[in-house]
Amino acid sequence: MTRLSALAVLSTALLSSPAAAVTFTVPSRSGTGGLTYAPVAPAPVGISFEFFAFPSYFTNVTATKQCLSNWRDLTGTWPPIRIGGTTQDRASFDPNTSAYVVYRVANPADAPMELTFGPRFMTLAGSYEGSVVVGLNRGKNNIDNTIAAARSAVAEVKNLLAIELGNEPEYYPKDGQPLGRGIWNAATDAASQLDWAVRVGRAVGRTNLIQAGNRLQSPPGWGAAQIAQQEDANSRQYVRHYAHHNYPGGNVQQLQQHSRIVSNVRNMFAVDSQTVRRVTGKEYVIGETNSVSGGGAANVSPTYGAALWTMDYILSLTSLNISRVYFHHGTVGNCQYCFWGRYSMGAPYWGATAAVATLAGARTVAALDNGSGMHAAYATFDVEGHPLRVLLYNSNYYTGGMRTSERFTLTGLGSLSGTTVRAKRLTANSSGSRADRGADITFGGQYWTNGTCVLGGTERFETARVENGQVSFDVRAAEALLVYLQ
Ligand SMILES: *[C@@H]1O[C@H](CO)[C@@H](O)[C@H](O)[C@H]1NC(C)=O
Ligand SMILES: *[C@@H]1O[C@H](CO)[C@@H](O)[C@H](O)[C@H]1NC(C)=O
Ligand SMILES: *[C@@H]1O[C@H](CO)[C@@H](O)[C@H](O)[C@H]1NC(C)=O
Ligand SMILES: *[C@@H]1O[C@H](CO)[C@@H](O)[C@H](O)[C@H]1NC(C)=O
Ligand SMILES: *[C@@H]1O[C@H](CO)[C@@H](O)[C@H](O)[C@H]1NC(C)=O
Ligand SMILES: *[C@@H]1O[C@H](CO)[C@@H](O)[C@H](O)[C@H]1NC(C)=O
């Protein structure tokens, strides 16, 4: 040990309180140990692009392609994308324009109130190698225009997974949308969604096409189950799956707190997703989400604490059998919660990538903790049911002073006794650290470069020896550790 690193160890020891202890048993096989297991999709973490901004992200933001391909490198599958949001209900299809999208804004930080888009918009979406969900207009109540757009999507988007018909329709009356005039509630919206699903599906000659729901207000009132229960056999065949939106909000300390994350996820989605699955047998996805609604909160969404939320939220959702989750990206240059922009990276990308790395190649996932404490553990399992990785998370808030630490002990690792396991640490100096303000945030010693999203730094693994089926790691407040069991 050099004098410098001896000093570093000493100062870390002085700044850390004695380790508390928490123990989790890792089941030797998926399906055992009395835990609840959920299947993991090949690429469960996706990105949602605000409709009008999608062409900018794909043609004029260098980091986009690289940030997406970094996850493809981990999982072997391009992450799924969704194109939609508030501006999908302000957009009209213009078959004659050669532009991707046409709009005027007073300030580049604004989203347009009206826009048109042409076939090239769909050609651009079709150039993406991963699956694509395209959100089209229902609010304007111009179904002929939406059918023309849907025909273009079906023709151009080779990896088209689904089409949405309207975004957060509960707000149509408030937004002055023509469809929301008169009586507008969850039941009339569901009737409208299903009527449009049948008419659009028939017009393009496809069943199993529509992503239904896309509502923000809480289930059961505005849930996806409410729609599933209103379907008949004819309308149901046009629905591919169901989506709901979610923005939990709160300050950084609340946002990163494990028990709050779990209760948000369970309260919003446990019953709604289980009902949908029981009634229809179809997938349930989080179609649009991020930390705080309205583009994010300036002092919350760009922080390392929000990155920790992103990580834990993804694992919490996937453990609940939510198939995919799409993190929203709004106006380029005016987006507090974005994972990347034109010039800089956003801290949440670190947390999302830690979650992608946890789930990569996994067939099943299970939460090892009961969701009521500050400490979380998730285990993933491979195709043969063997434990693959465990993600440990100490969700205590930290912004300075003495940094508490927790000793996590994993048991049940008898088959690994006598071997050494590796781990990657997600860390930063403070829950308030911001990559877009020069703070040092690392995952396994590495970071992503401003403007390009190219991985930088040297990959660093910690190691620990498994003795008598047990291994221990210290995880400080506001840190996570990904333990590789293979
Ligand atoms: C690309 O971004 C730059 C910088 O904001 C802007 O000036 C330019 O108009 C954008 N080009 C397109 C095609 O969006
Ligand atoms: C597109 O152009 C054709 C031929 O010029 C014209 O007939 C049609 O009305 C135009 N459609 C729209 C939506 O502008
Ligand atoms: C998870 O959902 C899928 C459908 O998306 C279903 O086939 C599967 O049985 C569900 N599993 C659990 C554990 O609920
Ligand atoms: C959850 O786990 C913690 C830590 O093991 C325990 O103290 C608590 O009683 C458990 N809560 C429930 C509801 O089981
Ligand atoms: C990334 O960009 C932000 C915003 O300009 C800056 O504060 C930060 O220092 C940059 N990070 C690196 C590693 O250059
Ligand atoms: C993080 O903390 C370390 C140790 O106290 C310090 O050397 C470093 O400058 C800090 N980094 C930032 C970006 O604040």
Side-chain angles (χ1 to χ4, degrees):
M1 196 182 286
T2 65
R3 273 190 58 185
L4 205 65
S5 58
L7 208 67
V9 167
L10 186 67
S11 62
T12 305
L14 288 174
L15 284 170
S16 300
S17 71
V22 56
T23 300
F24 295 107
T25 302
V26 182
S28 58
R29 286 199 85 87
S30 176
T32 69
L35 301 174
T36 304
Y37 294 80
V40 177
V45 186
I47 300 292
S48 165
F49 295 101
E50 181 60 45
F51 191 91
F52 85 95
F54 160 70
S56 284
Y57 276 104
F58 266 60
T59 63
N60 203 16
V61 178
T62 307
T64 300
K65 187 86 185 284
Q66 186 67 40
C67 279
L68 293 166
S69 76
N70 291 339
W71 292 355
R72 192 246 351 229
D73 292 346
L74 287 169
T75 67
T77 304
W78 284 93
I81 66 166
R82 172 260 188 170
I83 303 164
T86 309
T87 56
Q88 87 187 53
D89 277 311
R90 299 177 183 170
S92 301
F93 185 62
D94 176 357
N96 294 339
T97 183
S98 61
Y100 296 120
V101 64
V102 180
Y103 61 85
R104 258 192 247 311
V105 285
N107 182 318
D110 295 342
M113 297 307 294
E114 285 289 332
L115 63 145
T116 58
F117 62 100
R120 279 186 75 207
F121 185 99
M122 298 301 174
T123 310
L124 184 64
S127 72
Y128 184 59
E129 298 292 318
S131 79
V132 181
V133 173
V134 176
L136 299 178
N137 197 320
R138 188 163 49 98
K140 283 185 187 288
N141 201 15
N142 183 349
I143 197 166
D144 292 340
N145 189 264
T146 294
I147 285 171
R151 286 203 170 101
S152 177
V154 167
E156 298 292 327
V157 186
K158 66 175 185 297
N159 293 325
L160 182 69
L161 185 71
I163 286 175
E164 290 175 22
L165 298 167
N167 176 77
E168 300 177 4
E170 63 268 41
Y171 301 111
Y172 284 169
K174 180 178 77 62
D175 293 344
Q177 289 283 8
L179 193 63
R181 287 187 199 132
I183 296 169
W184 191 252
N185 54 39
T188 55
D189 171 55
S192 161
Q193 290 210 22
L194 297 172
D195 174 44
W196 279 56
V198 172
R199 289 158 76 187
V200 172
R202 267 197 200 133
V204 303
R206 280 215 194 166
T207 55
N208 204 31
L209 177 69
I210 304 300
Q211 177 178 301
N214 314 306
R215 296 160 161 184
L216 176 62
Q217 285 187 32
S218 298
W222 284 91
Q226 189 277 325
I227 297 171
Q229 284 160 335
Q230 220 172 299
E231 289 166 357
D232 60 19
N234 182 41
S235 54
R236 183 164 298 157
Q237 68 181 323
Y238 290 99
V239 177
R240 186 189 183 282
H241 63 266
Y242 302 82
H244 201 81
H245 296 181
N246 187 38
Y247 291 89
N251 61 36
V252 178
Q253 181 165 14
Q254 293 167 330
L255 199 61
Q256 73 170 69
Q257 188 187 320
H258 177 58
S259 57
R260 185 178 184 265
I261 293 168
V262 173
S263 58
N264 170 249
V265 163
R266 286 187 189 157
N267 292 341
M268 288 289 286
F269 303 119
V271 173
D272 204 41
S273 65
Q274 281 158 20
T275 306
V276 159
R277 213 163 280 119
R278 180 169 45 74
V279 171
T280 70
K282 295 180 184 177
E283 287 178 341
Y284 192 100
V285 311
I286 308 305
E288 184 191 306
T289 193
N290 221 318
S291 51
V292 186
S293 63
N299 296 319
V300 176
S301 301
T303 66
Y304 171 66
L308 294 170
W309 167 78
T310 307
M311 175 198 74
D312 193 12
Y313 178 61
I314 291 167
L315 270 301
S316 188
L317 287 167
T318 48
S319 307
L320 199 68
N321 203 4
I322 303 295
S323 303
R324 288 179 298 287
V325 47
Y326 296 86
F327 287 87
H328 199 51
H329 283 57
T331 310
V332 178
N334 182 22
C335 185
Q336 302 294 345
Y337 49 50
C338 278
F339 293 2
W340 65 86
R342 195 172 270 127
Y343 306 113
S344 58
M345 291 297 299
Y349 188 76
W350 276 248
T353 305
V356 171
T358 305
L359 294 164
R363 191 53 69 89
T364 55
V365 61
L368 302 182
D369 66 290
N370 62 21
S372 69
M374 296 302 282
H375 306 110
Y378 298 93
T380 56
F381 299 82
D382 69 13
V383 64
E384 272 142 16
H386 298 129
L388 188 54
R389 300 176 200 105
V390 175
L391 181 70
L392 307 173
Y393 174 39
N394 180 344
S395 78
N396 283 294
Y397 184 62
Y398 177 74
T399 54
M402 191 184 77
R403 194 163 190 172
T404 58
S405 184
E406 187 81 13
R407 172 149 295 184
F408 285 75
T409 297
L410 298 175
T411 65
L413 303 176
S415 66
L416 293 175
S417 281
T419 68
T420 292
V421 293
R422 303 175 306 158
K424 273 190 181 183
R425 189 171 297 265
L426 177 64
T427 191
N429 275 4
S430 160
S431 291
S433 290
R434 292 177 58 160
D436 65 330
R437 293 209 176 141
D440 206 10
I441 306 174
T442 54
F443 177 54
Q446 295 183 292
Y447 59 88
W448 291 273
T449 307
N450 281 338
T452 63
C453 207
V454 168
L455 185 63
T458 305
E459 185 176 45
R460 198 166 62 226
F461 285 99
E462 306 172 22
T463 58
R465 210 175 144 74
V466 183
E467 308 272 13
N468 303 318
Q470 299 194 9
V471 68
S472 297
F473 288 96
D474 292 335
V475 184
R476 297 184 303 167
E479 276 189 340
L481 193 77
L482 178 55
V483 183
Y484 292 74
L485 299 176
Q486 294 185 16

